[in-house]
Amino acid sequence: MRRHVIEMVHAAGSGHPGGSLSSADIVTALFFEVMEHSPELESSQDRDHFILSKGHAAPVYYAALAESGYFPVEELITLRQLHSRLQGHPSRVKTPGVEMSTGSLGQGLSVANGLALALRSQGLGRTVYCLCGDGEMAEGQVWEAAMFASHYHLDNVIAIVDRNGLQIDGRTEDVMALEPLGDKWRAFGWNVLFMDGNDMWQVLETLEEARRHKGSPTVIIARTVKGKGVSFMENNVGFHGKAPNDKEYEQAMRELGGSA
Amino acid sequence: MESQRKNYGKALVELGRTRKDVVVLDADLSGSTRTAEFGKTFPDRFFNCGIAEQNMMGTAAGLAVGGMTVFASTFAVFATGRAYDQVRQSIAYPDLDVKIVASHAGITVGGDGASHQTMEDIALMNAIPNMTVIVPADGPETYRAVLAVAEARGPAYIRMGRSDVPIITSKDDVFSIGKASTLREGNDVALVGVGQMVAPCLLAAEGLKAKGINARVINLSTIKPLDVETLEKAARDCGCVVTAEEHNIVSGVGTMVAAALAERYPTPMERVAMQDVFGQSGESDELMREYGLSEKEVIAAAIKVTERRK
Ligand SMILES: Cc1ncc(C[n+]2csc(CCOP(=O)(O)OP(=O)(O)O)c2C)c(N)n1
Ligand SMILES: [Mg+2]
């Protein structure tokens, strides 16, 4: 998955590696273990759903969709090219498997709530997973949605916050402090779980615990490393939205155990 | 070639030196909008609001109520879309001194795709009373426009692109709000360009000359208030008009020019603009060609409209 991300962003010459790499383990766990979904089920509501609220992490989302069979893996390197189905930010109308068009931060959780309500009213015991950024938590709409979900007891919504500690202008705690983040969600009536979002076993266990929880929505605050897996991208705000050059690309691929 | 936002950054620092009442807000995009330089130079008068554009606009309003002149910046799609109601209710209605200077407008955003390519920001800002709307054509004009809105009272919106654009105005030009400038004389057709479309209009004029058509080129850098005198004169002198903008054709600048001329001096027109569709990812220049926003379409429109010339 991480190699796909690096390859796509390098081929495009632009895009967002940092937040794709930090959430790669979470997205992998969801698409290949936790969620029941498949290209054949796409037109049915009777499956689990995923909304990428932090839409700039599109590369890792596309990697998961391609490896799940929604479109050919070879198509991944067309990211951001003219006429490609793989837009810089997810597009529901262009890309097979993409549940919702996103890119404007702060809007995904509201959509997840609406979708969860629709599923509940159709008697479908399905879960909606919504992946958010930590910088994204500054958007007021996130907290409007947080209030809504607990008011309507949407225990079929699981929000995951990619707590990599960085946004574009620097550390989240310097730009707009979030802590104590767990207390905030708790005060809004959510079941709050924590995990190391780059530890696959913890990710799987915590997602399972979240799914079992009933009566209120669950948020998982996932401690992660932005740029995880590529030494010079790790915790480096400069690689939020910048592609690696040819030399960096080769090094990144080597570090990820592949060849350039 | 240089970017408009680079000039915005420079102008802000200059303003910071001369005007103690100038404060700057950003929403986690200070590197992109180039407000970061002001932030470094005047940390006491710079406030990063985080990814919270609506709150930023409301805060800007409060600072203005408190007597400051406020510059608030983010990408154009968020400044005008996400925070539209805050701009309308808290900035424009109370007629406050907030200058919204937004970057990454239009299709030239490129790879980020349609979610980030606002083609309706001019329409939105234009529709709000009290709002001055400015779309500079290049870097130097951006610099002058920023200084000009700082001098003027009341809310203003300045639209900037992401990419580098050719320099077509000169440092010695004077920017006066509400005044269009004529960059090239001619009496066969008037090409009215907006923002990044002014340079293609100049190229088109050269192309048309080879075909024996002498085009006037107007840089319509203030959209509101609209310079109807210059437009009417162009219509009378040339007998036909082409507008060109990197914006949706619906409620775009072409619409406003057509409405103004319809009342004063009805004139055959063609409008080069985005044809009411969302954009997509791609390189800036590729996208400009893909959506018919290049010199080629300006030339075609000019030839077509001269056939209907008064
Ligand atoms: C409403 C909105 N404002 C601004 C942006 C520009 N932007 C894109 S990514 C980003 C930073 C996101 O930081 P975070 O949520 O922490 O994501 P991550 O670190 O996981 O990449 C910003 C400000 C946006 N996409 N949407
Ligand atoms: Mg982050």
Side-chain angles (χ1 to χ4, degrees), chain B residues 25-98:
Chain B
L25 303 183
D26 205 296
D28 197 32
L29 288 168
S30 67
S32 296
T33 63
R34 302 299 169 91
T35 60
E37 193 59 33
F38 182 96
K40 261 190 245 123
T41 320
F42 309 102
D44 295 345
R45 286 188 276 147
F46 176 78
F47 303 95
N48 199 326
C49 302
I51 312 172
E53 297 77 12
Q54 296 165 303
N55 183 54
M56 173 173 78
M57 293 304 178
T59 307
L63 281 159
V65 169
M68 311 302 274
T69 299
V70 190
F71 283 80
S73 293
T74 175
F75 289 172
V77 69
F78 309 128
T80 66
R82 183 55 153 272
Y84 176 81
D85 197 47
Q86 283 73 15
V87 171
R88 181 192 189 274
Q89 312 286 6
S90 296
I91 294 173
Y93 177 39
D95 201 14
L96 292 168
D97 248 335
V98 176

Side-chain angles (χ1 to χ4, degrees), chain A residues 22 54 133-136 162-167 172 226 240:
Chain A
S22 62
K54 45 171 252 178
D134 50 0
E136 183 183 7
D162 183 356
R163 187 75 176 103
N164 56 32
L166 295 177
Q167 47 194 102
T172 56
K226 199 155 177 170
H240 166 83

Side-chain angles (χ1 to χ4, degrees), chain A residues 2 5 16-27 54 56-57 60 131 134 162-166 197-198 222-229:
Chain A
R2 290 192 160 92
V5 168
H16 299 83
S20 289
L21 294 174
S22 62
S23 58
D25 305 287
I26 296 164
V27 173
K54 45 171 252 178
H56 57 280
V60 74
L131 180 60
D134 50 0
D162 183 356
R163 187 75 176 103
N164 56 32
L166 295 177
N198 294 132
R223 212 173 350 95
T224 63
V225 172
K226 199 155 177 170
K228 175 76 182 176

Side-chain angles (χ1 to χ4, degrees), chain A:
Chain A
M1 292 283 280
R2 290 192 160 92
R3 285 200 293 270
H4 280 320
V5 168
I6 295 300
E7 237 157 5
M8 296 166 78
V9 173
H10 175 253
S14 68
H16 299 83
S20 289
L21 294 174
S22 62
S23 58
D25 305 287
I26 296 164
V27 173
T28 301
L30 286 170
F31 276 79
F32 303 106
E33 190 65 36
V34 176
M35 293 199 303
E36 190 181 324
H37 74 105
S38 72
E40 295 70 43
L41 285 176
E42 200 187 344
S43 56
S44 154
Q45 296 301 336
D46 196 3
R47 60 181 168 89
D48 293 320
H49 297 256
F50 175 77
I51 289 176
L52 183 66
S53 191
K54 45 171 252 178
H56 57 280
V60 74
Y61 189 15
Y62 296 153
L65 290 170
E67 290 290 356
S68 302
Y70 289 89
F71 52 83
V73 171
E74 295 71 52
E75 202 172 325
L76 286 175
I77 55 161
T78 67
L79 174 74
R80 289 177 166 244
Q81 285 173 20
L82 190 65
H83 302 311
S84 168
R85 295 197 286 181
L86 307 184
Q87 296 295 295
H89 293 79
S91 163
R92 176 178 165 78
V93 292
K94 296 217 161 157
T95 314
V98 166
E99 191 77 62
M100 185 60 193
S101 305
T102 53
S104 183
L105 291 166
Q107 307 198 15
L109 191 55
S110 301
V111 179
N113 287 343
L115 179 49
L117 272 180
L119 296 173
R120 190 168 76 182
S121 68
Q122 291 165 63
L124 300 171
R126 295 300 188 171
T127 305
V128 185
Y129 297 89
C130 180
L131 180 60
C132 305
D134 50 0
E136 183 183 7
M137 295 293 109
E139 285 288 359
Q141 188 181 347
V142 171
W143 302 99
E144 296 173 25
M147 205 182 293
F148 183 97
S150 67
H151 180 80
Y152 287 102
H153 309 289
L154 293 175
D155 54 15
N156 55 343
V157 169
I158 297 176
I160 304 157
V161 181
D162 183 356
R163 187 75 176 103
N164 56 32
L166 295 177
Q167 47 194 102
I168 291 185
D169 279 346
R171 288 160 21 98
T172 56
E173 299 314 287
D174 294 336
V175 176
M176 188 54 58
L178 293 172
E179 293 300 341
L181 186 57
D183 289 350
K184 288 190 174 72
W185 283 97
R186 231 172 266 123
F188 276 77
W190 286 58
N191 174 41
V192 181
L193 303 177
F194 292 88
M195 69 180 181
D196 178 341
N198 294 132
D199 175 336
M200 187 53 84
W201 291 115
Q202 271 196 46
V203 171
L204 290 170
E205 262 172 43
T206 315
L207 284 169
E208 175 57 23
E209 187 184 343
R211 216 171 47 80
R212 279 200 311 266
H213 175 82
K214 294 290 165 233
S216 63
T218 293
V219 60
I220 304 172
I221 298 174
R223 212 173 350 95
T224 63
V225 172
K226 199 155 177 170
K228 175 76 182 176
V230 177
S231 58
F232 57 91
M233 291 187 179
E234 288 193 357
N235 279 317
N236 179 355
V237 82
F239 275 102
H240 166 83
K242 190 178 77 176
N245 62 31
D246 291 345
K247 228 178 114 224
E248 292 165 337
Y249 165 67
E250 278 169 32
Q251 187 187 335
M253 290 302 279
R254 262 200 313 277
E255 289 184 19
L256 293 169
S259 53

